[in-house]
Amino acid sequence: MSPGDYGTKAVPSYLAAEAETTPLPKITVPAAAPPASSSKGLGDLPMRVVYRMIAVATGVVVLGAGVTVVLLNRGDSATTTAAPRNSADAAVPSVVSASSASGAAAPAAGAVATPGLSPLSSAPPSAPSSPLSSTGTSATPSAAASPAANADAVDPALAAALKDPRVPALPKDVRRLRSLPGRAATTHSLIKDRRSGVALPRFAKAWALAKPAPFASRQLLPMAKGASYRGMLVSCPVPIPEQKTLRDTAFLAARWTLNHHPSGATITWTASQPIKAGKRKGWLLGYTVHYSLKGRKRVSAAALALVDTPETKPAVVFVTIPDSQKKRWHDINKVMSSIKAL
């Protein structure tokens, strides 16, 4: 049947409905968005925050560097300060060790081991009642320090003396002059040395007055047979630079007395003590002088008193007697106990 066959009949409803139907729109489901990250990267931060972080980090680095430099400088300063002290301790000669070493070496230099002339290190301490007691040796703590105690203030002359191998450093303790062998010679009167400001004994027979030059007064023992050196007692103003203490000045003066002994002479100490010369203070040093004459080892007993005088330089009274005249050694005790300031 062709379409025209229907004539005017109505069109079936399903056809009309089908003709009016419009196509349904296409539904598109969008893809799910990635989950948001909980942490932000450096690029997600505002620039002002980044600048602040950089500034803080820079400040911490600078502060740490500064602290490190300060600590290193302190360490260097402490090391630098400690080093000179250690080097000074090692460089400055020890008074005790020098005295001990010299005391040990001196007996080998002298051929005579005579009572009263042994070095200080071998003498047992005792306590005499008088500063000039001749009954023994005492060891009393001394208020005066060693000449090398204050190295920064040492006079050049004293520094040179401390380095002189012929003269050991003084003992730190007070040591009294011992009674030397023999009998003291008789005295006639006192020699008043006004140039030096002291008075000392004038011996009657055994000693003879001599021309004083280059001293202020001088007495001599007669020359022993076959000897080339004899006893001498002199006084004069101190011929060396005066030091801050009588003890240090006496130390220098004792070194000077080696000029009046045979060449190559060395010293060991037998006494070091403060004294009173009348109303004036002084310092006494006793010592043994070691030397060689004609190939033979000899010794002399010697002592020196330095007296503080009011108007002049300190006065020196010095006596030395060789072992060839050791019968006169006790005259040293007589001289040292009789000195008076004028």
Side-chain angles (χ1 to χ4, degrees):
M1 179 183 301
S2 60
D5 292 343
Y6 290 103
T8 59
K9 293 182 180 179
V11 180
S13 61
Y14 68 86
L15 291 177
E18 187 176 307
E20 296 175 356
T21 302
T22 60
L24 296 173
K26 186 177 179 180
I27 299 172
T28 303
V29 180
S37 174
S38 58
S39 59
K40 294 183 179 181
L42 183 62
D44 297 330
L45 298 176
M47 292 306 296
R48 65 178 180 276
V49 177
V50 174
Y51 292 151
R52 289 177 183 174
M53 293 175 62
I54 294 174
V56 171
T58 304
V60 171
V61 171
V62 172
L63 180 61
V67 171
T68 302
V69 171
V70 171
L71 293 177
L72 290 176
N73 288 340
R74 286 183 179 178
D76 293 341
S77 300
T79 304
T80 306
T81 304
R85 291 178 182 174
N86 295 336
S87 62
D89 291 342
V92 175
S94 169
V95 175
V96 177
S97 60
S99 177
S100 301
S102 301
V112 181
T114 307
L117 291 183
S118 57
L120 290 178
S121 58
S122 63
S126 62
S129 57
S130 168
L132 289 172
S133 171
S134 60
T135 58
T137 305
S138 71
T140 306
S142 173
S146 161
N150 189 358
D152 295 337
V154 170
D155 180 84
L158 184 58
L162 289 170
K163 295 178 181 179
D164 191 337
R166 302 174 303 164
V167 186
L170 289 176
K172 298 173 71 173
D173 297 335
V174 168
R175 304 296 175 99
R176 306 294 178 182
L177 181 65
R178 309 169 197 176
S179 179
L180 297 173
R183 293 184 60 183
T186 58
T187 58
H188 184 271
S189 58
L190 290 176
I191 294 177
K192 293 185 178 181
D193 177 4
R194 300 194 180 278
R195 175 184 161 194
S196 306
V198 292
L200 61 152
R202 177 180 177 181
F203 290 106
K205 295 181 180 180
W207 297 76
L209 285 175
K211 292 182 179 180
F215 310 102
S217 74
R218 177 162 59 168
Q219 300 177 67
L220 297 173
L221 284 174
M223 189 73 72
K225 184 177 180 180
S228 56
Y229 179 62
R230 57 178 169 172
M232 179 175 67
L233 168 59
V234 301
S235 64
C236 62
V238 64
I240 44 88
E242 187 176 353
Q243 302 300 305
K244 293 182 179 180
T245 67
L246 292 173
R247 181 176 184 269
D248 289 355
T249 308
F251 174 76
L252 276 186
R255 178 176 181 250
W256 162 79
T257 65
L258 288 178
N259 296 328
H260 303 283
H261 290 92
S263 176
T266 60
I267 283 175
T268 55
W269 303 112
T270 59
S272 176
Q273 66 180 88
I275 59 172
K276 281 282 190 178
K279 295 182 179 180
R280 306 300 299 182
K281 294 181 180 180
W283 199 273
L284 183 153
L285 294 177
Y287 48 103
T288 303
V289 184
H290 305 265
Y291 51 92
S292 294
L293 287 176
K294 299 179 181 179
R296 295 182 60 186
K297 293 181 179 180
R298 311 301 294 265
V299 297
S300 290
L304 175 147
L306 186 87
V307 179
D308 184 29
T309 55
E311 298 180 358
T312 63
K313 295 177 68 175
V316 170
V317 177
F318 161 59
V319 56
T320 177
I321 303 174
D323 53 7
S324 60
Q325 297 174 316
K326 59 184 175 182
K327 289 183 179 181
R328 300 262 62 88
W329 276 357
H330 197 71
D331 291 347
I332 294 175
N333 294 99
K334 180 66 175 180
V335 171
M336 293 295 115
S337 61
S338 303
I339 299 171
K340 299 288 186 278
L342 297 178

